[in-house]
Amino acid sequence: PGFRLSFTRTAFVSNSPSPGAFASGLITLTTSFQELSIVRCSFEDNKIDDIERGYLIRSFGSPVSIKDSWFSNNDVSGWGLIELFSFDDLQDLSVVNNAVNPGFHGETGLCPFAAYSG
């Protein structure tokens, strides 16, 4: 049951989505019946400004695997570059010159760029 969403060698560059009713980001998984795989992707120069509710990647309990990917010069107001509701597989990531203005929702930082709300 469910489906797998995969991005391989994809560039997410200079995106600036409009604030949403709930939160704003580039990739959102909303159920636990989905699975996200990101391999060798770059996230560069993205700006998420959503009054402390922004993120680049967010999962509401779906498995997330991010490997060999690059996060550079992103500016996020909110939950962080990556917001997880379950512990997931994050390997070999390069994270350089990102600005994260933390949200107010009681997240636990896994590291300076990822938050966990479990």
Side-chain angles (χ1 to χ4, degrees), residues 5-6 10 12 15 19 30 32 41 43 46 50 54 63 75 80 84 89 93 108 114:
L5 177 62
S6 297
T10 303
F12 297 86
N15 294 289
T30 58
S32 59
C41 292
F43 294 82
N46 296 291
D50 193 10
D75 185 357
L84 306 173
D89 187 15
L93 305 180
T108 301

Side-chain angles (χ1 to χ4, degrees), residues 27-92:
I27 300 172
T28 306
L29 297 175
T30 58
T31 73
S32 59
F33 299 109
Q34 302 166 320
E35 182 178 335
L36 175 64
S37 174
I38 296 174
V39 179
R40 295 185 189 103
C41 292
S42 64
F43 294 82
E44 298 181 60
D45 300 315
N46 296 291
K47 181 172 176 58
I48 313 292
D49 187 12
D50 193 10
I51 313 169
E52 301 184 356
R53 299 177 302 169
Y55 55 87
L56 293 182
I57 301 167
R58 188 171 197 216
S59 169
F60 289 94
S62 300
V64 176
S65 176
I66 304 173
K67 298 180 182 177
D68 300 320
S69 294
W70 174 265
F71 294 83
S72 176
N73 298 317
N74 297 291
D75 185 357
V76 177
S77 292
W79 287 308
L81 301 181
I82 303 168
E83 166 71 4
L84 306 173
F85 283 78
S86 63
F87 190 77
D88 296 65
D89 187 15
L90 308 176
Q91 296 180 25
D92 301 320

